[in-house]
Amino acid sequence: MDVNDLLTEAYGRLPELVEPAVAGLSPQRLRQAPAPGANPVGWLVWHLTRIQDHHVADLLGEEQLWVSGDWAGRFGLTPDPHDTGFGHGPEQITAVRPDSGRVLVDYHRAVLDRTLAFLRGLRPADLDRVVDPNWDPPVTLGVRLLSVLADDLQHAGQAGYVRGLIERE
């Protein structure tokens, strides 16, 4: 298995986690936190998709789909390219208001499709390219891709868990 197949396979597993986490949930349920200060399913899936969109767009040197498309309005937000959910407090979390589970799945799918196209074009040597010299050691493309994937998997798992919690009520 080469690097393209490995990364494509890994990222390609995300819909198997994202889609069941939001399927059939009303907009109210998507915004329901399982406890005060906890993140709701909709915010978790929005956040993991925003992180991927933000980082992959940067790697491609292109505009984020969040900014170039009509996604933001469907979440009750503005298309701010810096708003990825990182560091959000309670007010910012509740401001993320997806109008349906479908919009979460569709935005995730659009971002994932672009990510997969990017991954298919990689060569092993590309992974050593420094993409962020502001860290010690500098961050390479390979490390960035693994970091985004790890973040996505963690938040997708959290979304599934939170769904289970809110459905028990």
Side-chain angles (χ1 to χ4, degrees), residues 31-54:
R31 296 188 299 262
Q32 181 181 345
N39 296 323
V41 171
W43 184 90
L44 287 162
V45 172
W46 170 82
H47 169 64
L48 75 86
T49 307
R50 285 294 298 122
I51 291 294
Q52 188 178 141
D53 189 11
H54 179 274

Side-chain angles (χ1 to χ4, degrees), residues 40-107:
V41 171
W43 184 90
L44 287 162
V45 172
W46 170 82
H47 169 64
L48 75 86
T49 307
R50 285 294 298 122
I51 291 294
Q52 188 178 141
D53 189 11
H54 179 274
H55 287 338
V56 172
D58 183 57
L59 295 171
L60 289 166
E62 296 177 4
E63 195 168 49
Q64 297 169 36
L65 297 178
W66 181 254
V67 174
S68 64
D70 62 351
W71 299 109
R74 298 195 58 199
F75 289 85
L77 300 169
T78 60
D80 179 351
H82 304 293
D83 186 10
T84 63
F86 184 76
H88 268 190
E91 287 181 19
Q92 293 158 307
I93 290 168
T94 59
V96 177
R97 303 178 62 81
D99 63 20
S100 67
R102 182 84 256 154
V103 71
L104 287 158
V105 169
D106 290 348
Y107 176 45

Side-chain angles (χ1 to χ4, degrees), residues 17-18 20-22 25 39-45 48 153-166:
L17 301 171
V18 166
V22 302
L25 292 180
N39 296 323
V41 171
W43 184 90
L44 287 162
V45 172
L48 75 86
L153 290 169
Q154 178 180 6
H155 287 89
Q158 290 170 349
Y161 180 74
V162 169
R163 181 190 177 118
L165 292 175
I166 64 172

Side-chain angles (χ1 to χ4, degrees), residues 8-21:
T8 300
E9 173 69 22
Y11 274 86
R13 292 182 180 207
L14 288 167
E16 298 169 17
L17 301 171
V18 166
E19 293 174 14

